[in-house]
Amino acid sequence: DTAVSQTPKYLVTQMGNDKSIKCEQNLGHDTMYWYKQDSKKFLKIMFSYNNKELIINETVPNRFSPKSPDKAHLNLHINSLELGDSAVYFCASSNSRKNEQYFGPGTRLTVT
Amino acid sequence: GDSVTQMEGPVTLSEEAFLTINCTYTATGYPSLFWYVQYPGEGLQLLLKATKADDKGSNKGFEATYRKETTSFHLEKGSVQVSDSAVYFCALYSGGGADGLTFGKGTHLIIQP
């Protein structure tokens, strides 16, 4: 009965590869997010998605693209991976943008 | 833009000590304020929240009061336990930017028995 789940938990890949991280929420929320946590544990919003409206943090490279097949899922696709993409990526969801967000367990991405 | 400033860590306390983790913010309008906790190897868990001035959020013995005049949301607990050891994040939502939460850098709390 996990509220927000992510797969995989760990992802190790080489530079230049394309990878995806999946996120699912069973809370009935209408808004989903992706955050990046760097090695110093600093968290930064990457995307928010609500009712087909995508809001992108201007600092996110266009190699990153979220895709939402339905309201319960927001997957993160990353093309041409770079060393600097190594981080922990968290998915989150909320019931409207103003309310508290619930986070998934994170995906640790390591690019070698 | 929005920003959140937290006290630097790590903060090391003995069990049963009083805890304060300072948090101040800069935001447009009237943001909602949150404290999240991250235990080792886990995701973030919502600890408490406050949505308007003078609101007090509380949970598991932790408290924080939304102080608009000082733009602060300090986290307090009267008697900490070893199990409270974690990283604590102060965050705000104001609807700006990419419309997600703006986080502080986190405070690593270590409680010694």
Side-chain angles (χ1 to χ4, degrees):
Chain A
D1 57 346
T2 304
V4 182
S5 58
Q6 295 178 229
T7 54
K9 188 168 175 63
Y10 300 96
L11 182 54
V12 181
T13 188
Q14 292 184 330
M15 286 175 55
N17 285 348
D18 302 337
K19 290 294 179 185
S20 295
I21 304 172
K22 295 184 177 181
C23 177
E24 176 181 2
Q25 55 94 5
N26 63 6
L27 297 168
H29 288 166
D30 60 7
T31 308
M32 296 184 73
Y33 311 82
W34 278 103
Y35 289 84
K36 179 180 181 180
Q37 186 176 44
D38 64 22
S39 58
K40 296 184 179 180
K41 292 204 173 289
F42 185 56
L43 280 149
K44 196 165 188 180
I45 181 73
M46 299 177 70
F47 307 98
S48 66
Y49 186 84
N50 172 291
N51 274 337
K52 300 186 180 180
E53 181 189 8
L54 176 66
I55 301 178
I56 304 171
N57 185 323
E58 60 189 12
T59 66
V60 175
N62 58 14
R63 298 181 293 102
F64 290 78
S65 58
K67 289 184 171 48
S68 179
D70 55 57
K71 282 181 66 174
H73 296 83
L74 185 67
N75 302 325
L76 182 65
H77 298 272
I78 316 169
N79 295 326
S80 303
L81 278 155
E82 300 177 359
L83 291 176
D85 297 333
S86 296
V88 181
Y89 293 85
F90 287 99
C91 177
S93 71
S94 68
N95 183 11
S96 94
R97 296 185 189 277
K98 295 183 179 181
N99 290 337
E100 62 268 26
Q101 297 178 19
Y102 293 85
F103 283 76
T107 296
R108 182 174 294 278
L109 171 65
T110 303
V111 182
T112 62
Chain B
D2 297 344
S3 68
V4 175
T5 302
Q6 289 181 238
M7 58 194 298
E8 295 288 332
V11 173
T12 303
L13 296 173
S14 297
E15 204 166 20
E16 299 184 3
F18 184 87
L19 168 71
T20 300
I21 301 178
N22 290 336
C23 171
T24 57
Y25 66 89
T26 303
T28 52
Y30 301 96
S32 295
L33 301 175
F34 306 88
W35 276 100
Y36 281 84
V37 58
Q38 186 177 27
Y39 297 101
E42 297 185 11
L44 281 80
Q45 298 177 24
L46 177 67
L47 184 58
L48 52 85
K49 70 172 185 178
T51 58
K52 60 183 188 296
D54 299 325
D55 267 3
K56 177 186 280 189
S58 61
N59 186 25
K60 298 181 181 180
F62 291 90
E63 293 182 339
T65 301
Y66 189 144
R67 299 287 187 200
K68 182 169 174 291
E69 64 276 12
T70 54
T71 62
S72 64
F73 193 53
H74 304 322
L75 182 68
E76 296 181 336
K77 185 175 185 182
S79 176
V80 292
Q81 306 300 314
V82 172
S83 58
D84 293 327
S85 299
V87 180
Y88 291 80
F89 293 92
C90 185
L92 69 84
Y93 175 81
S94 70
D99 216 30
L101 294 171
T102 298
F103 282 91
K105 292 188 176 182
T107 301
H108 186 194
L109 176 65
I110 300 169
I111 307 300
Q112 296 178 334

